[in-house]
Amino acid sequence: MTEPTPAPVTACLVIIGNEILSGRTQDINLNYLAKGLNEVGVQMREARVIPDVPETIVATVNEVRAKYDYVFTTGGIGPTHDDITAECIAAAFGVKLILHPEAKRRLEAHYLTRGIELNEARLRMAHVPEGATLIDNPVSTAPGFRIGNVHVMAGVPKIMQAMFDGIRHGLKGGAKMLSRSVTCGLAEGTVARDLGLIQADYPAVEIGSYPFWTGGGGFGVSLVLRSADPAALEHASEAVIAMIRGFGGEPVEREPETKA
């Protein structure tokens, strides 16, 4: 008897920061997080980029935390006036923002060893919503935190990655998304109709079509198939390969993988 495919476990990333929306800073956290989540069986279903506006942060967090199993936020937990994520998360959960004793202790020890004053601005980084637990920051000490299903992390990629790596294996995942890509030298318009028919035959498989220019000025297309069902992925891939050959193309395959 075939084992049922585990139910999907879903996530959303909320990227907070005017600097992302202005183009001044390029986000690279989404790629790292999506791949890391898929490796532990959590599927990234949505990502949003929002400004440093309290009402927007509160409304967005409340919306997505009710919709997804996990929510991750990046950005806005530093020492400056525009770092408002912690207070907004507290407002979203209807709790007070408090000075966390352990967070304060870590910052005191960190700055003491460096001969730097733990001033009022730096102490802001020790404030978290009441009831939250800390997420370790092995890079620069100032912690992130989790409350409910919301995980709040730094926006600086090196720090965010270290924070996420510390919590990723504690996440409870479900079905992992497998993927396979098939590339050929056919134009996207040539395969579009038949590809749509294959998609209809295999609703458990996501099929994406990505055209490109070849070196000689011609067309090509990469067809990427993703599914949590290995058998469905295999059958759909076989159908895509047969379709390409039916049009006189030569499919070039990649083996199934477990990364997004």
Side-chain angles (χ1 to χ4, degrees), residues 141-179:
T141 303
F145 61 87
R146 66 172 68 83
I147 180 169
N149 63 339
V150 179
H151 296 69
V152 176
M153 301 182 293
V156 177
K158 183 177 180 180
I159 300 174
M160 189 287 298
Q161 292 172 14
M163 286 181 171
F164 177 67
D165 288 345
I167 66 173
R168 61 191 295 179
H169 295 296
L171 302 174
K172 295 181 179 179
K176 291 185 180 181
M177 290 294 284
L178 307 170
S179 70

Side-chain angles (χ1 to χ4, degrees), residues 184-193 209 211-212 214 218-223 243 247:
C184 66
L186 299 172
E188 188 177 38
T190 301
V191 302
R193 176 184 174 278
S209 176
F212 59 87
T214 64
F219 292 100
V221 64
S222 291
L223 305 175
M243 174 197 69
F247 283 113

Side-chain angles (χ1 to χ4, degrees), residues 23-101:
R24 181 184 178 279
T25 300
Q26 183 176 1
D27 176 77
I28 60 174
N29 291 328
L30 172 59
N31 179 269
Y32 188 89
L33 191 63
K35 288 182 176 180
L37 287 173
N38 194 62
E39 289 172 359
V40 295
V42 178
Q43 299 176 22
M44 179 78 79
R45 289 289 179 84
E46 186 177 359
R48 300 190 187 186
V49 184
I50 61 175
D52 299 310
V53 176
E55 296 81 6
T56 302
I57 298 172
V58 172
T60 301
V61 168
N62 277 335
E63 178 188 348
V64 298
R65 72 186 178 98
K67 187 176 179 180
Y68 300 103
D69 297 301
Y70 292 108
V71 173
F72 299 88
T73 76
T74 59
I77 59 172
T80 59
H81 71 280
D82 58 344
D83 289 313
I84 59 173
T85 298
E87 61 195 71
C88 291
I89 300 295
F93 278 84
V95 299
K96 294 184 294 185
L97 188 70
I98 65 167
L99 179 61
H100 194 289

Side-chain angles (χ1 to χ4, degrees), residues 103-158:
K104 180 183 178 184
R105 185 198 66 77
R106 293 182 189 183
L107 289 175
E108 285 174 337
H110 174 76
Y111 287 113
L112 180 63
T113 60
R114 287 158 179 77
I116 300 173
E117 177 192 1
L118 179 58
N119 58 22
E120 184 178 349
R122 296 186 178 105
L123 196 58
R124 293 187 70 212
M125 297 185 289
H127 287 77
V128 303
E130 189 171 30
T133 57
L134 301 182
I135 295 176
D136 292 338
N137 173 1
V139 177
S140 60
T141 303
F145 61 87
R146 66 172 68 83
I147 180 169
N149 63 339
V150 179
H151 296 69
V152 176
M153 301 182 293
V156 177
K158 183 177 180 180

Side-chain angles (χ1 to χ4, degrees), residues 194-213:
D194 287 37
L195 190 65
L197 296 175
I198 294 172
Q199 177 67 90
D201 287 340
Y202 297 96
V205 181
E206 302 171 7
I207 304 177
S209 176
Y210 307 99
F212 59 87
W213 288 93

